[in-house]
Amino acid sequence: MPGIDKLPIEETLEDSPQTRSLLGVFEEDATAISNYMNQLYQAMHRIYDAQNELSAATHLTSKLLKEYEKQRFPLGGDDEVMSSTLQQFSKVIDELSSCHAVLSTQLADAMMFPITQFKERDLKEILTLKEVFQIASNDHDAAINRYSRLSKKRENDKVKYEVTEDVYTSRKKQHQTMMHYFCALNTLQYKKKIALLEPLLGYMQAQISFFKMGSENLSEQLEEFLTNIGTSVQNVRREMDNDVETMQQTIEDLEVASDPLYVPDPDPTKFPVNRNLTRKAGYLNARNKTGLVSSTWDRQFYFTQGGNLMSQARGDVAGGLAMDIDNCSVMAVDCEDRRYCFQITSFDGKKSSILQAESKKDHEEWICTINNISKQIYLSENPEEIAARVNQSALEAVTPSPSFQQRHESLRPAGQSRPPTARTSSSGSLGSESTNLAALSLDSLVAPDTPIQFDIISPVCEDQPGQAKAFGQGGRRTNPFGESGGGTKSETEDSILHQLFIVRFLGSMEVKSDDNPDVVYETMRQILAARAIHNIFRMTESHLLVTCDCLKLIDPQTQVTRLTFPLPSVVLYATHQENKRLFGFVLRTSGGRSESNLSSVCYIFESNNEGEKICDSVGLAKQIALHAELDRRASEKQKEIERVKEKQQKELSKQKQIEKDLEEQSRLIAASSRPNQASSEGQFVVLSSSQSEESDLGEEGKKRESEA
C-alpha cells in the first residue's frame, strides 16, 4: 500500500502556524473518517439486527463501499489500491446479499467487534486527546501572557519564579500532550485501513463458513482474494507497530532534549546569541494603539521573507506583510514597563512597529537579523560572512534607549516640518476657486455679500430682538434646564406628529427669493464654499423635532430647545440633488418693526442619509396643519352660523313677547273704558310693569298735546 501521511512530531515544540494548519488537516481527516465509519457501522449493525432485512442491509453496505472512491478525504484520498479493493468487496457482497443470511453470533464476533472497537476506542481516544491538547494549549497561552506582563522595574523573585515555573509546566504539558496527540493521529491512518478491512474480512469468512454456497464458483477466487487481504492487513499492522515504536522513541528523545527549551528565557551560556542571521521566525507580541494613551498587545507568529517582515495569526494558512524592512532602522526601546521590546521604523519614518520578544536571546537575535536584512545582506552570495562584519553595529542597536521621542523626531522626513505652508497654499487655491464659483451665483436668489452664520446661538444667551422675532420666540429666554414654567403647556403636546432626526447645522443666510428650490441649492453651494475657504469643519449636532406646529432644534445632551421654527413660516424645503444627506428650508420672518417688511432666511443642515425623509416629514406636517386649519375654519364658520341662528331666535322670541304685551294692553284699555263698572263693584286691575310704563307714557303724551 502507498505511504502514510504523518504529522512531524519533531516540530511540536516550535508549535508554528504551519504545524497547526497541518494539524487542522489531520483533524478534518479524522472527522471525515469518523463520519464515514459511523455510516459503515450503522450499515453493518442493520445486518446484525435484522436477519429479515439482510439483503437490503448488505446492499447498503455494498453501496457505501462503492462510494468510498467518491469520498474526499484530506489525507489518502488517492488510495487507488484501497478503492479497488473495496470495489471488489462491494461486487462480491452485492452478489451474496440476495441469498445469504448471517447468524447474529458469528456476525458479532467476526464483523461487529472490530469496527465497534475502532469506533468506541480509537475514535474516542482521538477526541479525548484533542480536548486535553486544547486545554493544555490554552493554559500555555495564559502562562505566556502572565510571563510577558512581568515588570522589569519592580521585579519580584517569588512572582518571577512562580510565573516561570508555570510557563515551564504548561509548556511541558502542551509539548507532551501534542506529541501524543500527533502520534494518535498518525496511528489513526493505519487503524483506519484495519478498521475498514477487518470487518469485511470477518463478514466474508462468516458467509463462507455458514452457508457454503457457491463453493465451486466462488471458493477458489474468494479464498485467494481473502488470503491476499489478510496478508495485506497483517502487513499494515506490522508497519503500524514499527512506526508507533519509532514515534514513541522519538517522543522520548525529544522530551529529554527539549527540557531546557521549556524555560521562556534560557541560559545565554548554553544557548548563545547568533548575530549573523539573515532569516528568523518566532512568536512576538505586537503593540497596537487603541487610543491616545491606551494600547493592546497581540501575540502573533512573525518571520522574515527576503526584505519583508511577515506576520501570521494562529490558524491562518499563509502570512501577510507586516512591514518592509529594507533600509529600515531597529532599536531597543522601553515601552509600558515591558521587557525585551524593540522598535522597527521604515526608511521614510512614516510607519513604525513596537514588538516584544520572549527572551533576551530572541530580542538580540531579532534586532541583529533585522539589521542584517535592512542592509540588504541577504542579497549577497555569502550573507553570514557579511553579517559577521557588521556585527558590531548590530550590537549597538540592542542598547535600550529611554528617549524614543527624540529617535522618532530624528527619523521624521524633512518634508513634514513645513505643513503650514502647504496648507496655506491649498487654502489659497481653494479660496480662488470658491470666489470664481460665487461670482457665477444668481443675484436674483442670493446676494453675493450676504453674511453667513455658521453656528447656532447658545440657548443660555439673551436673544436679540430681531432674532427672537425671527425664530418665533417673542423675546423669551430659553430655560437652560429644559423645565417648563408653572402652569404653561407645551406647544407640541397636542400634536399628532412627532418625528426626531439627527442633524448637523452647516449655516444660514438671508435670501432674496423663497418660491424656487434653486435658492436652497445656491445657498448650499455658497455655505459649503465658505466653509472650505475659512477652514471651518466643526458642525453643531442637534435633534430636529418635526411636529404639526413647528420645527425644533434640541440639544442632544441637555434636551434644551435651541431654536424653534413655526411651521407656517417654513415656505420652502428641498434636498441636494446629488448629496441626499444635505437638506435646507427657507423661513419667512419679519425683519423689522413693520409687519409688512418680511425677510427670508435659508437654513442648511446635514443628516445621516435622511434628507428626503426629513423633507417628507415636513411636507406631511404641513399637510396635517393645513387640514387642521381647514377644519378649524369650518368649525368657526359653523359656530358663527349657530350664533346667527341663536340671535335671530332671540329677536323672534322678543318680538312675539312685544306683540303679546300689546294685545294684553289693548284688552286692558278696552276693559277700563266700561262706565264705572269696576269702581262700583269695588274691584281693581293690577297692570304689569310694562303695561304701566306704557300707560304712563301715554298719559304724558296726552298732557304734552294739551299744553301745546
Side-chain angles (χ1 to χ4, degrees), residues 411-659:
L411 292 174
R412 181 177 296 175
Q416 296 184 1
S417 61
R418 297 189 300 272
T421 305
R423 185 170 180 177
T424 304
S425 62
S426 62
S427 301
S429 62
L430 185 58
S432 61
E433 182 180 356
S434 301
T435 305
N436 295 333
L437 291 175
L440 298 175
S441 61
L442 300 177
D443 293 341
S444 60
L445 300 177
V446 181
D449 297 331
T450 303
I452 300 176
Q453 179 178 340
F454 294 108
D455 203 353
I456 300 176
I457 300 176
S458 175
V460 299
C461 300
E462 291 290 346
D463 296 332
Q464 298 178 3
Q467 292 171 341
K469 203 168 187 178
F471 300 149
Q473 294 178 348
R476 179 177 175 271
R477 181 174 179 177
T478 305
N479 190 348
F481 300 100
E483 300 174 354
S484 59
T488 60
K489 190 175 182 180
S490 174
E491 297 178 358
T492 60
E493 185 176 349
D494 298 333
S495 177
I496 63 175
L497 179 66
H498 287 81
Q499 289 190 350
L500 195 67
F501 303 94
I502 298 176
V503 297
R504 289 169 291 277
F505 182 68
L506 293 177
S508 64
M509 60 186 300
E510 188 175 352
V511 295
K512 291 185 176 182
S513 173
D514 56 8
D515 56 357
N516 191 349
D518 291 338
V519 68
V520 179
Y521 306 148
E522 180 64 20
T523 306
M524 289 179 181
R525 189 192 64 77
Q526 290 200 20
I527 290 179
L528 293 177
R531 278 181 168 268
I533 292 172
H534 300 289
N535 293 326
I536 301 175
F537 304 106
R538 184 177 63 86
M539 294 181 290
T540 304
E541 185 172 298
S542 304
H543 289 173
L544 178 64
L545 178 63
V546 181
T547 66
C548 297
D549 301 324
C550 61
L551 306 181
K552 285 188 176 183
L553 285 180
I554 303 174
D555 192 326
Q557 295 181 354
T558 62
Q559 299 301 315
V560 174
T561 301
R562 290 173 171 169
L563 292 179
T564 301
F565 306 103
L567 192 63
S569 300
V570 179
V571 295
L572 182 64
Y573 49 90
T575 59
H576 196 273
Q577 295 174 333
E578 297 179 357
N579 187 359
K580 298 302 180 182
R581 296 189 306 170
L582 300 179
F583 76 97
F585 59 84
V586 178
L587 189 73
R588 184 181 295 169
T589 60
S590 57
R593 298 181 182 273
S594 176
E595 295 296 333
S596 60
N597 186 14
L598 298 178
S599 63
S600 299
V601 181
C602 184
Y603 294 86
I604 305 299
F605 296 87
E606 181 187 26
S607 64
N608 299 329
N609 296 323
E610 296 180 344
E612 294 182 349
K613 293 183 180 179
I614 296 175
C615 290
D616 294 340
S617 178
V618 174
L620 178 62
K622 291 185 75 66
Q623 289 182 3
I624 295 175
L626 176 61
H627 289 297
E629 180 66 19
L630 294 178
D631 294 340
R632 186 185 64 81
R633 292 181 180 180
S635 177
E636 291 180 354
K637 187 176 181 181
Q638 183 67 25
K639 290 180 181 180
E640 184 68 23
I641 293 174
E642 291 178 358
R643 284 196 297 269
V644 171
K645 288 183 178 180
E646 185 178 358
K647 186 176 181 181
Q648 291 178 353
Q649 187 70 23
K650 288 181 179 180
E651 292 179 354
L652 182 61
S653 61
K654 187 176 181 180
Q655 185 70 24
K656 288 182 179 180
Q657 184 66 30
I658 293 173
E659 292 177 357

Side-chain angles (χ1 to χ4, degrees), residues 35 56 81 181 246 249 316 402 511 695:
N35 295 334
V81 177
Y181 185 34
T246 304
Q249 184 63 36
D316 291 348
V511 295
S695 61

Side-chain angles (χ1 to χ4, degrees), residues 165-179:
E165 188 67 22
D166 190 12
V167 172
Y168 172 84
T169 304
S170 60
R171 180 168 294 177
K172 183 176 182 179
K173 181 180 178 182
Q174 180 192 5
H175 187 210
Q176 293 175 351
T177 306
M178 195 172 187
M179 287 190 293

Side-chain angles (χ1 to χ4, degrees), residues 304-309 321 323-327 373-374 378-379:
T304 60
Q305 190 176 62
N308 299 324
L309 179 64
L321 177 63
M323 181 181 289
D324 182 7
I325 54 178
D326 271 340
N327 299 320
I373 296 175
S374 174
Y378 66 94
L379 298 176

Side-chain angles (χ1 to χ4, degrees), residues 679-698:
S679 60
S680 62
E681 296 179 358
Q683 296 177 351
F684 57 92
V685 179
V686 180
L687 299 179
S688 63
S689 60
S690 60
Q691 291 175 350
S692 61
E693 290 177 358
E694 292 177 357
S695 61
D696 293 340
L697 291 174

Side-chain angles (χ1 to χ4, degrees), residues 135-150 159-174 262 264 285 299 339 358:
I135 295 173
S137 179
N138 293 337
D139 293 343
H140 176 256
D141 292 342
I144 286 295
N145 190 17
R146 290 194 297 272
Y147 177 79
S148 300
R149 293 197 303 267
L150 280 177
V159 175
K160 181 179 180 182
Y161 174 78
E162 291 177 356
V163 173
T164 304
E165 188 67 22
D166 190 12
V167 172
Y168 172 84
T169 304
S170 60
R171 180 168 294 177
K172 183 176 182 179
K173 181 180 178 182
Q174 180 192 5
Y262 295 147
N285 293 330
R299 189 168 184 259
R339 303 183 302 168
E358 186 176 301

